[in-house]
Amino acid sequence: MTKDTAMTEYTPPKVWTWEAESGGKFASINRPIAGPTHDKELEIGKHPFQLYSLATPNGVKVTIMLEELLAAGHKGAEYDAWLVNIGEGVQFGSGFVDVNPNSKIPALMDHSITPPQRVFESGAILLYLAEKFGAFTPKDPAQRTEMMSWLFWQMGSAPYLGGGFGHFYAYAPEKFQYPIDRFTMETKRQLDVLDRHLAENEWFAGEYSIADIAIWSWYGQLVLGRLYSAAEFLDVGTYKNVMRWAETIDARPAVTRGRMVNRAFGDDLSMQLHERHDASDFDTKTQDKIAK
């Protein structure tokens, strides 16, 4: 390593103690314990589903799914989407922790049944909605099994992309070559896994499904240049099959709407719908219209 990229030698103590923030963009919300930090009840709207989220890749999975369900005619999928600003620690409020004890977005409450059902973890929410409405999941047993395999692949692989590559490349307070190289290599290996499958398949499990929604929200947005400003660094154009697949999904109107919901960042205010309580909100309540 060069002088600029060398890492300071660190000897771990026998017992780790939390003495200070670790640094980085999200340091203020990191802590080694669970549970609420303050009392705060969650708001509840008029629709069967109450979503508490932010338009991160994991959050986008669920809003895309809900918009796809509505576009497919499933009126029972109407939902209220409440903004959870993780930078302000909203996810540590008592009401949110009751829905998701892990204090991570997204979190969903289904009020169409008694008692209401909580669902947390984005993959679990996708599967819950797919089974509830019998949609975006293949009926063929072999294809359904393939879908499940790819869904769980995404859930297990994305931490290397987000918490690994994304953290050290974009968010860590200092740039070090070793972790960036380590997680870049893994991210590119994962993109190659996807590219090889998509060379012979239009979708991940025979038809457009929650596996595609889950994987697109991370890897599709990555190759489209929407995550970490890393498309050039990763040379994403070499993954031609992933690019074709990502662009096809990106053109779906429900995907565009799903990306807008609970989005509270970015320069394009027309793509920010902080909260969603009615389908008409996309036309009347995006931040560009509210700002006028």
Side-chain angles (χ1 to χ4, degrees):
M1 291 185 180
T2 67
K3 181 179 179 181
D4 292 336
T5 58
M7 298 181 68
T8 302
E9 184 72 21
Y10 171 65
T11 302
K14 290 185 177 180
V15 179
W16 181 87
T17 57
W18 186 39
E19 297 178 352
E21 294 179 355
S22 60
K25 183 174 180 179
F26 299 107
S28 63
I29 65 172
N30 293 329
R31 59 194 184 116
I33 57 174
T37 60
H38 59 281
D39 290 329
K40 176 66 174 178
E41 293 301 313
L42 292 176
E43 296 179 276
I44 301 175
K46 63 182 179 179
H47 295 306
F49 292 103
Q50 300 296 303
L51 177 66
Y52 307 94
S53 192
L54 181 70
T56 66
N58 285 333
V60 160
K61 292 178 197 174
V62 179
T63 48
I64 288 175
M65 178 61 170
L66 288 165
E67 290 298 326
E68 289 281 19
L69 287 168
L70 292 170
H74 297 283
K75 296 181 180 180
E78 270 294 353
Y79 69 105
D80 292 276
W82 304 93
L83 179 64
V84 176
N85 193 326
I86 61 175
E88 298 176 357
V90 177
Q91 69 276 27
F92 299 120
S94 56
F96 190 91
V97 175
D98 284 343
V99 181
N100 186 352
N102 196 38
S103 292
K104 302 290 184 181
I105 61 92
L108 181 74
M109 287 295 298
D110 181 358
H111 289 271
S112 71
I113 56 177
T114 304
Q117 176 68 54
R118 76 177 186 182
V119 197
F120 59 92
E121 288 295 318
S122 57
I125 296 173
L126 289 179
L127 190 57
Y128 180 83
L129 293 171
E131 291 181 340
K132 188 177 183 74
F133 292 100
F136 302 106
T137 178
K139 301 297 187 295
D140 177 77
Q143 290 184 353
R144 176 178 167 78
T145 300
E146 184 77 0
M147 179 202 74
M148 295 286 284
S149 293
W150 282 109
L151 177 63
F152 281 89
W153 177 91
Q154 185 278 311
M155 296 296 293
S157 297
Y160 289 97
L161 172 55
F165 174 77
H167 175 77
F168 287 106
Y169 180 78
Y171 300 139
E174 298 178 72
K175 297 287 194 294
F176 294 115
Q177 184 176 347
Y178 174 77
I180 291 176
D181 282 353
R182 166 69 179 88
F183 289 108
T184 297
M185 177 165 44
E186 176 61 14
T187 297
K188 289 182 71 66
R189 188 194 68 80
Q190 292 176 358
L191 287 169
D192 194 43
V193 169
L194 301 179
D195 202 63
R196 289 169 184 264
H197 179 77
L198 291 169
E200 299 178 355
N201 298 275
E202 181 180 7
W203 308 109
F204 277 96
E207 61 189 66
Y208 180 61
S209 73
I210 59 174
D212 295 282
I213 293 172
I215 296 171
W216 183 89
S217 298
W218 279 98
Y219 297 88
Q221 293 202 97
L222 178 70
V223 300
L224 292 172
R226 296 180 187 145
L227 291 185
Y228 316 127
S229 299
E232 181 179 7
F233 179 75
L234 294 170
D235 196 15
V236 297
T238 60
Y239 305 101
K240 299 185 183 303
N241 302 304
V242 176
M243 290 297 301
R244 180 265 308 162
W245 165 85
E247 290 168 352
T248 299
I249 293 177
D250 195 49
R252 296 175 70 93
V255 172
T256 299
R257 291 193 297 273
R259 287 183 55 230
M260 296 168 64
V261 179
N262 295 146
R263 186 175 181 85
F265 48 84
D267 296 329
D268 188 353
L269 296 182
S270 69
M271 285 295 294
Q272 294 186 27
L273 181 62
H274 287 188
E275 293 186 358
R276 187 265 192 215
H277 303 290
D278 189 85
S280 63
D281 291 349
F282 292 102
D283 299 319
T284 61
K285 295 185 178 180
T286 52
Q287 287 302 109
D288 61 319
K289 297 180 177 66
I290 291 177
K292 290 181 179 180

